[in-house]
């Protein structure tokens, strides 16, 4: 059974800092990996999608990397802003072409202090 | 496109009542799935579907039924609600193919008393 772990569970940093969120998974035979953002009481917003054959993806100030062999992914946020405060979720698409849903980590609750 | 639409947004049920959580997508996505989100447990997969007429169980399927009669709709049925089913429910869909991730609905907050 695939298990996804996110470290740290919570993080509070001053505005402007660069930061890294970590995600690890136990079964390296994944189809893809997706990072989401969730604001309190809201749904999930997709940030980045990395295919199993890719090493990284970038969108604006966000960069996600994937090392499938070691079962790890990181989400790098550059020049953090108070608007980045949210819970960040890592989710793995498993075999069967990713059709059988996602396995989620429990998230990193991020607070950016103004 | 409206994306993934979930109704209702909020619902209170009494123990033993039944109800259906609706999920509809207008993107012609083949894959759809249901999750529940509980404090300290994260999101867990309930049921999923790879196309009309095809459904399968996820990690926590007990107490829930699904059907997929059309590509657009994937309703989740609670046959006899229990307090343990108090949760926030999310529906998601995805297009077939390598370059597509899941799109989520805004969720249904269900309380069973």
């Amino acid at each position: 059974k695939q298990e996804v772990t996110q470290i740290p569970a919570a993080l509070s940093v001053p505005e402007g800092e660069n930061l890294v969120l970590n995600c690890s998974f136990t079964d390296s035979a994944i189809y893809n990996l997706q990072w989401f953002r969730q604001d309190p009481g809201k749904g999930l917003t997709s940030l980045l999608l990395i295919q199993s054959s890719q090493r990284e993806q970038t969108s604006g100030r966000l960069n996600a990397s994937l090392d499938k062999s070691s079962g790890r992914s990181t989400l790098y946020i550059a020049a953090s802003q108070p608007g980045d405060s949210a819970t960040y979720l890592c989710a793995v698409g498993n075999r069967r072409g990713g059709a059988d849903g996602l396995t989620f980590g429990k998230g990193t609750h991020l607070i950016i202090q103004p | 496109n409206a994306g993934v639409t979930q109704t209702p947004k909020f619902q209170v049920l009494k123990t033993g009542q039944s109800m259906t959580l609706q999920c509809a997508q207008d993107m012609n996505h083949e894959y759809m799935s249901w999750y529940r989100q509980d404090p300290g447990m994260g999101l867990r997969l309930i049921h999923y579907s790879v196309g009309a007429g095809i459904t399968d169980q996820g990690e926590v399927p007990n107490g829930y039924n699904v059907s997929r009669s059309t590509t657009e709709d994937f309703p989740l049925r609670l046959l006899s609600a229990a307090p343990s089913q108090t949760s926030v429910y999310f529906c998601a869909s995805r297009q077939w193919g390598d370059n597509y991730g899941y799109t989520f609905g805004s969720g249904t907050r269900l309380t069973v008393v």
Side-chain angles (χ1 to χ4, degrees), chain B residues 32-90:
Chain B
M32 297 186 74
S33 46
W34 276 101
Y35 303 82
R36 60 177 290 174
Q37 185 174 35
D38 302 291
M41 300 295 294
L43 282 101
R44 293 177 291 169
L45 180 66
I46 305 173
H47 285 286
Y48 64 94
S49 170
V50 299
I54 306 171
T55 64
D56 207 345
Q57 296 180 351
E59 182 185 357
V60 288
N62 292 341
Y64 307 96
N65 278 356
V66 292
S67 60
R68 184 103 180 264
S69 57
T70 67
T71 300
E72 295 78 17
D73 299 300
F74 191 41
L76 179 71
R77 298 184 187 85
L78 283 70
L79 302 179
S80 179
S84 61
Q85 294 179 304
T86 294
S87 187
V88 181
Y89 291 85
F90 289 100

Side-chain angles (χ1 to χ4, degrees), chain A residues 6-56:
Chain A
Q6 290 188 245
I7 295 174
L11 182 63
S12 181
V13 300
E15 179 179 4
E17 284 201 3
N18 304 323
L19 55 99
V20 175
L21 308 182
N22 296 292
C23 172
S24 61
F25 44 93
T26 55
D27 184 352
S28 62
I30 65 170
Y31 180 71
N32 58 22
L33 186 144
Q34 202 167 351
W35 282 93
F36 295 90
R37 167 187 174 136
Q38 186 176 30
D39 294 290
K42 302 295 185 182
L44 280 68
T45 300
S46 181
L47 298 173
L48 289 164
L49 171 71
I50 309 178
Q51 298 298 329
S52 60
S53 59
Q54 296 175 327
R55 297 285 292 184
E56 66 176 351

Side-chain angles (χ1 to χ4, degrees), chain B residues 11-21 63-64 76-83 85 110-113:
Chain B
Q11 183 71 47
V12 179
L13 285 180
K14 294 182 179 179
T15 298
Q17 287 185 320
S18 63
M19 81 160 293
T20 300
L21 278 63
Y64 307 96
L76 179 71
R77 298 184 187 85
L78 283 70
L79 302 179
S80 179
Q85 294 179 304
L110 176 67
T111 302
V112 183
V113 297

